[in-house]
């Protein structure tokens, strides 16, 4: 049951519109916490979200829940009194009866709201794959350099990984799906504890500072819905090769994403958890984060568990993968050192310097 369920629903003999469906479920103790989003295909009615819980051990349930409308501009939950002027020809329900029936990787959904809206639909579980959906280009290091030189003027960003793992945020990799809980609990907890340590006080009510704080957490190892990229294919290569064990005989992977086409994949959001599936490119102020600039860091944020599948369903000409033999590590790292791309430059500070000389001397 835990996971992300994406699908659609349609009117069932009542009012309503065909809608997209996104249901995120986390296991919390002995119960499941749910955030269910319904997004109509029309601009004549707002989307809706409901938050509720149910005990473990139940594959079918019926619950009376409160509904919150989605603001048409921010795509965040709000009050009906705030946005009803935008929807003069409709009303929004306050409560509804939701029925969920889990059948392995299929979820059947039914809702009947107090304003007469009746919807029925299905959603599939975004099962987190063990391997990537992207068919890789198997190339050598020299071939990779020639390829990136040929696209130097294009709008690409890059991500290096030690193995061909699928693209997935660390938040979803650890099988959490309720980003609203992450915002209200994790971020607030970390902000309280880190404010005594950081030189800058991060005002989480200011979007730029809130984003910078999330980026700081990401760069220091806390699981977030962010995914790190770089403008440099060579910085990406450094991160792909730097942790490769001496006895590893497989490939490292470098992803290449045409960032200007992200708008073709999803609406871009300035918020972590809008009411629709998204992958958005964010830029951060590098507050208390000296690593961001030398790494030429770029970040995507997403509430989608299976990012690759989400992108491929929208476009096949935006994301590529290059697998390079790990046995070329010594040659690659030597060339990167000549470019000034080392642990010391990527991680300013004592840790980076020690990692640099460990690479050189061992």
């Amino acid at each position: 049951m835990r996971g992300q369920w994406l699908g659609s629903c349609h009117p069932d003999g009542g009012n309503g519109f065909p809608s997209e469906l996104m249901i995120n479920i986390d296991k919390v103790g002995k119960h499941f916490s749910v955030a269910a989003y319904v997004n109509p295909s029309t601009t004549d009615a707002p989307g809706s979200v409901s938050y509720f819980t149910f005990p473990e051990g139940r594959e079918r349930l019926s619950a009376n829940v409160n509904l919150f409308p989605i603001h048409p501009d921010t795509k965040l939950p709000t009050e009906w009194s705030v946005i009803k002027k935008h929807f003069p020809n409709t009303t929004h329900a306050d409560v509804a009866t939701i029925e969920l029936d889990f059948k392995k990787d299929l979820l059947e959904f039914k809702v009947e709201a107090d304003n007469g809206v009746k919807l029925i639909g299905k959603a599939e579980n975004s099962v987190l794959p063990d391997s990537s959906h992207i068919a890789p280009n198997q190339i050598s290091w020299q071939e990779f350099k020639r390829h990136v030189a040929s696209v130097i003027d294009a709008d690409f960003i890059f991500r290096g990984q030690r193995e061909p793992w699928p693209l997935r945020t660390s938040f979803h990799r650890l099988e959490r799906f309720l980003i609203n809980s992450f915002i209200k609990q994790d971020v607030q907890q970390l902000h309280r504890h880190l404010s005594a340590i950081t030189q800058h006080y991060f005002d989480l009510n200011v979007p730029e500072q809130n984003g910078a704080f999330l980026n700081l957490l990401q760069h220091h190892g806390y699981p977030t819905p962010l995914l790190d990229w770089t403008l440099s294919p060579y910085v990406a290569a450094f991160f792909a090769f730097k942790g490769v064990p001496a006895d590893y005989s497989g490939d490292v992977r470098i992803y290449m994403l045409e960032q200007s086409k992200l708008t073709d994949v999803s609406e871009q959001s300035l918020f972590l958890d809008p009411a629709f599936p998204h992958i958005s490119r964010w830029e951060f102020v590098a507050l208390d984060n000296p690593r961001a600039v030398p790494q030429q860091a770029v970040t995507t944020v997403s509430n989608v568990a299976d990012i690759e599948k989400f992108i491929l369903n929208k476009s096949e000409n935006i994301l590529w993968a290059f697998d390079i033999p790990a046995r070329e590590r010594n040659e690659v790292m030597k060339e990167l050192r000549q470019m000034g791309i080392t642990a010391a430059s990527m991680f300013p500070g004592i840790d980076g310097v020690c990692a640099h000389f460990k690479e050189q001397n061992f």
Side-chain angles (χ1 to χ4, degrees):
M1 294 181 182
R2 178 173 62 180
Q4 182 173 70
W5 304 77
L6 300 177
S8 62
C9 52
H10 57 271
D12 182 31
N15 299 323
F17 301 93
S19 303
E20 290 187 346
L21 185 63
M22 178 172 69
I23 299 178
N24 296 322
I25 304 177
D26 270 354
K27 180 81 179 326
V28 182
K30 294 185 177 181
H31 70 274
F32 292 95
S33 291
V34 183
Y37 301 89
V38 175
N39 293 292
S41 58
T42 177
T43 57
D44 293 333
S48 300
V49 61
S50 179
Y51 305 102
F52 57 96
T53 64
F54 65 92
E56 64 180 357
R58 297 176 60 181
E59 295 183 354
R60 300 182 65 181
L61 70 129
S62 176
N64 294 321
V65 301
N66 295 318
L67 298 179
F68 301 93
I70 301 300
H71 198 290
D73 296 327
T74 65
K75 302 297 191 282
L76 299 177
T78 186
E79 299 292 335
W80 176 239
S81 60
V82 175
I83 64 168
K84 65 180 181 180
K85 62 184 178 182
H86 297 286
F87 306 99
N89 299 318
T90 190
T91 61
H92 187 272
D94 294 320
V95 296
T97 299
I98 289 182
E99 296 181 12
L100 301 179
D101 187 1
F102 294 90
K103 298 179 178 180
K104 292 187 178 180
D105 294 331
L106 183 68
L107 169 61
E108 295 183 350
F109 169 90
K110 188 174 183 179
V111 62
E112 183 172 349
D114 64 0
N115 65 347
V117 170
K118 297 180 180 180
L119 299 173
I120 188 169
K122 296 180 180 180
E124 293 183 353
N125 190 2
S126 296
V127 179
L128 299 179
D130 294 326
S131 58
S132 173
H133 297 293
I134 310 296
N137 297 282
Q138 300 278 352
I139 61 176
S140 68
W141 169 242
Q142 296 301 324
E143 289 170 329
F144 176 75
K145 289 195 298 179
R146 286 195 292 270
H147 180 78
V148 296
S150 70
V151 297
I152 194 68
D153 295 326
D155 193 25
F156 292 109
I157 55 177
F158 304 85
R159 174 178 172 82
Q161 300 183 167
R162 191 183 70 194
E163 295 187 35
W165 299 305
L167 284 179
R168 188 180 305 151
T169 72
S170 53
F171 179 82
H172 293 103
R173 195 181 309 140
L174 295 175
E175 296 189 340
R176 285 186 61 183
F177 303 93
L178 290 180
I179 295 180
N180 61 307
S181 296
F182 169 81
I183 295 170
K184 293 178 180 179
Q185 298 172 15
D186 300 49
V187 174
Q188 296 297 326
Q189 180 186 51
L190 287 159
H191 187 254
R192 289 194 301 271
H193 286 272
L194 293 178
S195 291
I197 303 173
T198 56
Q199 296 180 1
H200 177 85
Y201 178 79
F202 293 85
D203 185 347
L204 300 184
N205 294 316
V206 178
E208 292 81 3
Q209 295 195 37
N210 183 69
F213 184 71
L214 294 172
N215 200 35
L216 182 69
L217 301 181
Q218 171 82 355
H219 277 221
H220 284 274
Y222 195 82
T224 74
L226 279 57
L227 204 58
D228 291 328
W229 300 78
T230 174
L231 294 170
S232 168
Y234 299 107
V235 170
F238 170 82
F239 282 100
F241 280 96
K242 76 177 182 68
V244 172
D247 59 349
Y248 179 59
S249 59
D251 298 326
V252 303
R253 171 160 293 190
I254 299 177
Y255 286 101
M256 184 174 76
L257 174 68
E258 192 166 1
Q259 57 180 337
S260 60
K261 290 185 178 180
L262 276 179
T263 53
D264 298 336
V265 172
S266 81
E267 181 179 347
Q268 298 295 284
S269 175
L270 298 175
F271 301 94
L272 272 182
D273 193 29
F276 58 90
H278 81 109
I279 175 171
S280 300
R281 181 191 186 279
W282 282 11
E283 291 190 29
F284 300 103
V285 179
L287 297 173
D288 271 331
N289 191 359
R291 301 176 179 182
V293 173
Q295 293 178 13
Q296 300 181 55
V298 178
T299 304
T300 56
V301 58
S302 183
N303 58 1
V304 176
D306 192 344
I307 292 176
E308 292 183 357
K309 184 177 180 180
F310 180 72
I311 290 177
L312 290 176
N313 284 342
K314 305 284 185 176
S315 174
E316 294 184 354
N317 296 308
I318 179 176
L319 178 64
W320 296 266
F322 300 93
D323 286 0
I324 305 172
R327 64 176 180 273
E328 298 195 56
R329 182 186 188 279
N330 291 341
E331 175 189 353
V332 173
M333 297 302 282
K334 179 179 179 181
E335 290 191 23
L336 294 179
R337 283 197 299 272
Q338 293 173 341
M339 299 178 192
I341 299 174
T342 66
S345 62
M346 293 295 99
F347 303 99
I350 296 174
D351 289 345
V353 172
C354 289
H356 166 65
F357 285 105
K358 177 183 177 182
E359 170 74 24
Q360 177 177 303
N361 296 330
F362 291 88

